[in-house]
Amino acid sequence: MILVFCELKDGQLRKPSAEALSEGRRLADASGKQLGALFVGASCAGAADAAKYGADAILTAEGGTLASYSSDAFAQVVADAVKAKGATVLLAAATAVGKDVAPRAAARLAAGYASDVTGLSMVDGKLQAVRPVYAGKAFATTSFASAVQVATTRPNVFPAAEKAGAGAAEALATPTGDFKSVVKEILAKAGGKVDLSEANVIVSGGRGMKDGANFKLLEDFADAIGGVVGASRAAVDAGWGLPHSMQVGQTGKVVSPTLYIACGISGAIQHIAGMSGSKFIVAINKDPEAPIFKLASYGIVGDLFEVVPELTKAAKAMGIGSN
Amino acid sequence: MKILVALKQVPDTESRIKVAADGRSLDPADVKWITSPYDEYALEEAIRIKEAKGAEVVALSVGTDAAKDVLKNALALGADTAVLLKGDGQGDAFAVAQMIAAYVKDKGFDLILCGNKGLGGDNAAMGPMLAELLGVAQANVVVKLELGDGTFSAERETDGGSELVVGALPAVITAQKGLNEPRYASLKGIMAAKKKTIEELDAAPAVAGAQVSALALPPERPAGRKLEGEPAAQAQALLQALKDEAKVF
Ligand SMILES: Cc1cc2nc3c(=O)[nH]c(=O)nc-3n(C[C@H](O)[C@H](O)[C@H](O)COP(=O)(O)OP(=O)(O)OC[C@H]3O[C@@H](n4cnc5c(N)ncnc54)[C@H](O)[C@@H]3O)c2cc1C
């Protein structure tokens, strides 16, 4: 079996989990295996959605002790499920929880782990992963020596493809409690909008924005085209009141949207490390020599304070965000 | 209190990346090696705990003789002692976690700090794997850490937000930017470090997990195009191209 650790948000399957499931389905078909979806928590209502993405079996470890996330408890449940089902491949989306639980579960299973992968395949019955390394300057193919193979899939890279599965439900045992660590409190939630790492369109601002208040220009444009606003480290570190959660790059978020629009960002390698996986890159910069133009599918040499308002106006006129 | 800081030597991001003749490793010719920046936050946190409450700080790296630079720097910054586990510290995170676990076992560490990922390899795996092998608590991608009596409370970054993790010591905490501002080594520190020796041990044998079997340069991005004209015309042309050519909208 190929087992996919899935996450729910407000009773719905998270998009990165749907993507991991779809990729799991593809790999299961390629290797003649079953696909299992695993849910862990106090309530797994909504787990049935996994059948839409091809899950043959839907496993739920549902219990009060699992109401708050605990790294060790979740890793134990996940590893136990892998063993119980004789699964050889374990996938999770490379989310905050996925990246926390998957390597710990892997160690428990004496398994190798490939994180944040952008490509997966089955070669001679074993998983093989491709992942960007060295700030996106190279791609590493990862092969596994272990019997069980564990990987997390980068959000927004694998398409979520609907395909009906049997979705046979099965309840798993839950641990009794006494965990080594537990999440006591959610301190800050992502705003109403999707998180950067899941966003399809990102409008980012850099030092060229000159002031935090000017990010309103980007908000307006992003709203008009259905995007989310990000920032370079220079902008986050400038004391403009932008949270670190907005930062794109090596020490920030790694994003892979369909469209990334960089406004007043020079294109330092540490910034590129976080966004070179974008399908289309647009650069708006007054310096025609800025390195960001080397990556850009479309470039506008100009003053962002003139160009961005025109973009917002044109987007509204063309009715772009309204579909 | 006894703290272990695990540090990894990594290629500087600015280094030119060339694939070696074996097709699976980095050609070291033009590579400048540095301490992974996330590990610098981990070390700084250990030194701050030492300054605030008193602690013994042991710096450890898995690697070749070259990794001694990382350890010398850690000593100069304030680590009390340093250990080099001679082995392959660049490849398999599971193997490295086993090597460190074998060293750590029964030495009475209360806290193990490392970066949330090694720069470049970006596996983000060694810390949680080590925590599991040692059977202790973990908190990853931590931007704020407080220690109580045999307990910790850590703020960690999540998808677009943050959460508070509480747990029991010993624990593995992996550091993220924001945890602190690492200091620079003082001349006094550098001189004092020169007198200290680095303990060298052979890393314990480890079972292999996953390994890089091929390394390749990314495909070139197709050449882009600049949109000319007045701002209004540029804006119009861009959105039209994104709609008609790229089909983004
Ligand atoms: C260890 C390490 C980690 C790092 N991690 C990250 C990271 O995660 N993310 C990150 O982004 N950086 C990171 N950096 C920093 C990185 O090296 C750069 O310093 C940073 O990305 C620069 O941000 P910027 O492009 O906004 O600023 P700058 O490089 O100063 O560029 C500003 C650009 O704005 C343009 N501009 C100015 N005014 C206008 C205008 N009116 N209209 C149009 N264009 C204008 C300028 O021409 C210039 O190109 C890291 C650095 C280190 C050492």
Side-chain angles (χ1 to χ4, degrees):
Chain A
M1 177 180 272
I2 290 179
L3 193 61
V4 180
F5 170 81
C6 297
E7 293 171 69
L8 295 163
K9 191 180 176 188
D10 306 325
Q12 292 200 311
L13 186 67
R14 282 188 67 182
K15 185 166 162 265
S17 296
E19 294 165 4
L21 269 175
S22 298
E23 183 61 10
R25 180 71 263 168
R26 201 182 62 77
L27 296 171
D29 287 342
S31 56
K33 291 196 165 84
Q34 293 267 307
L35 178 69
L38 171 63
F39 293 83
V40 185
S43 162
C44 300
D49 273 359
K52 284 193 215 147
Y53 298 94
D56 299 304
I58 298 176
L59 315 174
T60 50
E62 197 169 15
T65 55
L66 299 167
S68 298
Y69 176 70
S70 159
S71 309
D72 47 299
F74 274 52
Q76 185 191 330
V77 171
V78 171
D80 286 352
V82 167
K83 284 186 209 154
K85 291 285 141 193
T88 47
V89 171
L90 170 66
L91 302 180
T95 59
V97 166
K99 285 197 278 191
D100 194 76
V101 74
R104 186 159 185 142
R108 207 172 165 87
L109 294 159
Y113 168 61
S115 86
D116 219 4
V117 306
T118 55
L120 286 171
S121 53
M122 297 299 281
V123 178
D124 300 331
K126 284 211 132 176
L127 190 67
Q128 203 168 71
V130 174
R131 45 192 306 277
V133 291
Y134 305 124
K137 285 192 274 192
F139 280 86
T141 302
T142 301
S143 305
F144 293 83
S146 52
V148 177
Q149 302 120 57
V150 183
T152 48
T153 54
R154 178 171 289 188
N156 243 335
V157 170
F158 300 92
E162 292 206 14
K163 188 176 183 195
E170 184 182 334
L172 303 177
T174 57
T176 48
D178 194 19
F179 305 141
K180 294 183 171 72
S181 78
V182 67
V183 171
K184 194 179 152 199
E185 196 186 337
I186 307 296
L187 298 170
K189 264 202 183 127
K193 291 183 185 155
V194 288
D195 183 53
L196 278 178
S197 52
E198 291 173 39
N200 205 33
V201 175
I202 295 174
V203 180
S204 269
R207 205 194 312 265
M209 295 303 297
K210 302 213 163 59
D211 194 340
N214 295 330
F215 270 71
K216 177 81 173 56
L217 291 176
L218 303 188
E219 294 282 354
D220 291 345
F221 178 39
D223 283 346
I225 58 172
V228 181
V229 177
S232 74
R233 173 159 165 181
V236 169
D237 285 356
W240 296 344
L242 306 173
H244 179 239
S245 60
M246 276 178 78
Q247 183 181 319
V248 172
Q250 192 163 51
T251 39
K253 293 265 157 60
V254 176
V255 299
S256 28
T258 306
L259 174 62
Y260 188 92
I261 304 180
C263 308
I265 292 176
S266 62
I269 181 68
Q270 295 91 350
H271 188 78
I272 289 170
M275 45 66 82
S276 63
S278 308
K279 193 153 176 226
F280 294 99
I281 294 169
V282 172
I284 303 170
N285 198 301
K286 66 179 182 189
D287 173 11
E289 303 300 321
I292 189 79
F293 284 119
K294 291 206 194 79
L295 287 187
S297 336
Y298 301 102
I300 292 182
V301 179
D303 185 341
L304 70 92
F305 294 104
E306 291 174 16
V307 175
V308 175
E310 290 294 344
L311 280 166
T312 310
K313 213 159 54 175
K316 284 182 180 157
M318 288 166 73
I320 274 173
S322 55
N323 55 2
Chain B
M1 165 146 252
K2 209 171 155 184
I3 306 175
L4 183 88
V5 185
L7 303 133
K8 183 179 181 182
Q9 192 173 42
V10 300
D12 188 345
T13 311
E14 313 275 352
S15 296
R16 237 185 85 208
I17 297 301
K18 269 199 294 188
V19 180
D22 66 3
R24 48 184 291 263
S25 60
L26 198 59
D27 183 341
D30 296 326
V31 174
K32 186 183 151 211
W33 295 91
I34 58 167
T35 302
S36 179
Y38 307 101
D39 299 345
E40 293 182 340
Y41 302 121
L43 178 64
E44 177 66 30
E45 195 65 12
I47 297 165
R48 289 189 188 196
I49 294 168
K50 174 179 157 180
E51 286 167 351
K53 337 181 149 197
E56 180 194 343
V57 177
V58 180
L60 176 145
S61 190
V62 178
T64 59
D65 274 343
K68 282 183 185 166
D69 285 345
V70 164
L71 295 170
K72 275 183 210 148
N73 186 46
L75 288 169
L77 285 163
D80 296 296
T81 54
V83 183
L84 175 69
L85 294 185
K86 291 184 162 183
D88 179 9
Q90 292 299 320
D92 183 7
F94 182 48
V96 173
Q98 291 168 72
M99 294 170 193
I100 299 180
Y103 172 81
V104 166
K105 273 224 161 74
D106 309 321
K107 286 207 173 57
F109 284 102
D110 303 288
L111 183 62
I112 297 166
L113 286 158
C114 61
N116 76 82
K117 59 183 177 182
L119 187 84
D122 294 344
N123 293 300
M126 204 293 286
M129 287 184 144
L130 178 60
E132 177 60 30
L133 294 176
L134 294 171
V136 303
Q138 76 185 44
N140 285 317
V141 203
V142 167
V143 292
K144 194 168 174 208
L145 177 65
E146 272 165 29
L147 299 179
D149 192 14
T151 60
F152 71 87
S153 112
E155 181 179 339
R156 83 178 204 100
E157 275 184 4
T158 55
D159 303 325
S162 64
E163 62 192 18
L164 191 70
V165 182
V166 296
L169 296 178
V172 175
I173 305 287
T174 74
Q176 166 68 328
K177 177 191 176 229
L179 181 60
N180 51 46
E181 249 338 296
R183 70 195 68 193
Y184 292 96
S186 66
L187 191 61
K188 199 172 138 229
I190 294 168
M191 297 313 288
K194 285 209 165 114
K195 296 202 191 85
K196 294 188 181 168
T197 52
I198 293 169
E199 186 182 359
E200 295 179 40
L201 301 168
D202 287 329
V207 178
Q211 234 123 24
V212 173
S213 51
L215 193 66
L217 300 184
E220 292 271 335
R221 279 191 94 92
R225 125 174 121 79
K226 294 225 169 95
L227 304 165
E228 311 292 341
E230 291 299 305
Q234 288 174 313
Q236 189 70 36
L238 173 63
L239 294 178
Q240 210 66 55
L242 289 171
K243 197 162 176 244
D244 300 342
E245 296 172 16
K247 306 206 167 14
V248 176
F249 301 123

